[in-house]
């Protein structure tokens, strides 16, 4: 889980340095912070942390963030990113996720 937490911190750092419009940055930042909060939930099962939201899933998220923040912001890419994060939040939150 420490690795996932570290990856989210890297994503937040990339986000700060990107030229994405502020409102979009804030939306992504809120989702990432929500993900950090869910990772701290003791009720998370090993199955979730190692399986459906394992390190490889987070590595994929990080590389997607690098593309968006490094190569410039593109509308569709950002939509895909937010959908990906939303899906991860659903998995991590289980029944606890409130939108």
């Amino acid at each position: 889980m420490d690795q996932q937490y570290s990856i989210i911190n890297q994503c937040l750092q990339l986000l700060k340095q990107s030229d994405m419009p502020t409102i979009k940055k804030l939306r992504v930042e809120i989702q990432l912070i929500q993900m950090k909060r869910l990772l701290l939930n003791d009720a998370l099962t090993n199955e979730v942390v190692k399986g459906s939201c394992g390190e490889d899933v987070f590595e994929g998220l990080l590389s997607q963030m690098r593309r968006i923040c490094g190569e410039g912001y593109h509308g569709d890419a950002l939509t895909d990113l937010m959908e990906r994060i939303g899906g991860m939040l659903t998995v991590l939150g289980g029944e606890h996720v409130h939108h």
Side-chain angles (χ1 to χ4, degrees):
M1 183 176 82
D2 290 344
Q3 182 63 23
Q4 285 100 321
Y5 202 82
S6 166
I7 288 173
I8 293 173
N9 285 333
Q10 290 175 60
C11 289
L12 286 165
Q13 204 53 42
L14 284 168
L15 193 61
K16 281 182 188 166
Q17 297 162 2
S18 82
D19 60 355
M20 199 183 292
T22 307
I23 190 74
K24 307 268 187 214
K25 262 191 201 181
L26 288 172
R27 284 195 186 130
V28 175
E29 185 178 11
I30 287 166
Q31 282 189 308
L32 290 170
I33 290 169
Q34 212 175 357
M35 202 182 298
K36 279 172 79 168
R37 193 176 54 79
L38 288 171
L39 278 174
L40 294 173
N41 183 350
D42 293 336
L44 280 183
T45 62
N46 263 352
E47 178 189 323
V48 170
V49 175
K50 303 231 182 319
S52 43
C53 260
E55 286 180 25
D56 55 333
V57 176
F58 278 81
E59 291 290 347
L61 174 66
L62 182 58
S63 63
Q64 192 173 2
M65 284 291 295
R66 282 190 180 124
R67 275 195 309 278
I68 290 173
C69 296
E71 298 167 12
Y73 149 78
H74 304 288
D76 287 348
L78 183 64
T79 303
D80 292 347
L81 174 71
M82 291 186 79
E83 284 175 6
R84 177 185 207 139
I85 295 172
M88 290 169 77
L89 284 171
T90 302
V91 170
L92 287 171
E95 307 81 57
H96 322 295
V97 175
H98 304 289
H99 291 286

